[in-house]
Amino acid sequence: MVWMIWFEDKRGRILTLTNERIKHIGFHMSLHDKHHLIEEILKSPDIFSQDEEQPETAHYQGYLRQENIYLIIVAKLFNGEGFIITIYKSKKPKVIQ
């Protein structure tokens, strides 16, 4: 059975996170207590960027002071909506060129 969680980003786009993606992301990190962080970062990212070569790919980045890392959410955007591809932690922000 497929289920989804919906989030709204800073521009009002609805982004979905499916159970299949949660399983994928689970290999990298636990999302157990991160739903509120995902929501906060999508609404008000510290860094938002889109790849010039792939403008449908967006990176929402939030700095987590307690852990001294960035939580990076990668989403595919289309027709005013999108879906979350992956979420990961990084010591440095993702630089898009």
Side-chain angles (χ1 to χ4, degrees):
M1 177 167 74
V2 176
W3 52 267
M4 297 181 215
I5 302 170
W6 290 270
F7 296 98
E8 187 175 334
D9 81 353
K10 68 182 197 150
R11 295 185 179 153
R13 292 179 286 230
I14 301 300
L15 303 178
T16 58
L17 178 60
T18 65
N19 59 335
E20 184 275 328
R21 291 285 83 200
I22 289 172
K23 287 179 188 175
H24 165 80
I25 294 163
F27 288 113
H28 306 295
M29 57 181 281
S30 171
L31 292 179
H32 182 271
D33 59 347
K34 304 279 190 285
H35 289 102
H36 70 285
L37 289 175
I38 295 168
E39 189 169 25
E40 287 176 24
I41 292 168
L42 290 173
K43 279 285 196 186
S44 184
D46 293 318
I47 302 168
F48 174 81
S49 55
Q50 287 179 272
D51 189 327
E52 288 182 19
E53 293 180 17
Q54 295 181 331
E56 70 279 1
T57 303
H59 294 79
Y60 301 80
Q61 303 179 59
Y63 182 68
L64 308 180
R65 294 190 199 301
Q66 304 86 344
E67 299 179 48
N68 195 30
I69 55 128
Y70 285 86
L71 188 64
I72 301 173
I73 303 167
V74 182
K76 286 284 188 185
L77 306 174
F78 52 92
N79 297 330
E81 296 180 346
F83 62 93
I84 295 171
I85 299 169
T86 194
I87 301 171
Y88 62 95
K89 294 179 181 179
S90 176
K91 291 182 181 182
K92 296 180 180 180
K94 172 82 173 170
V95 178
I96 304 296
Q97 303 192 5

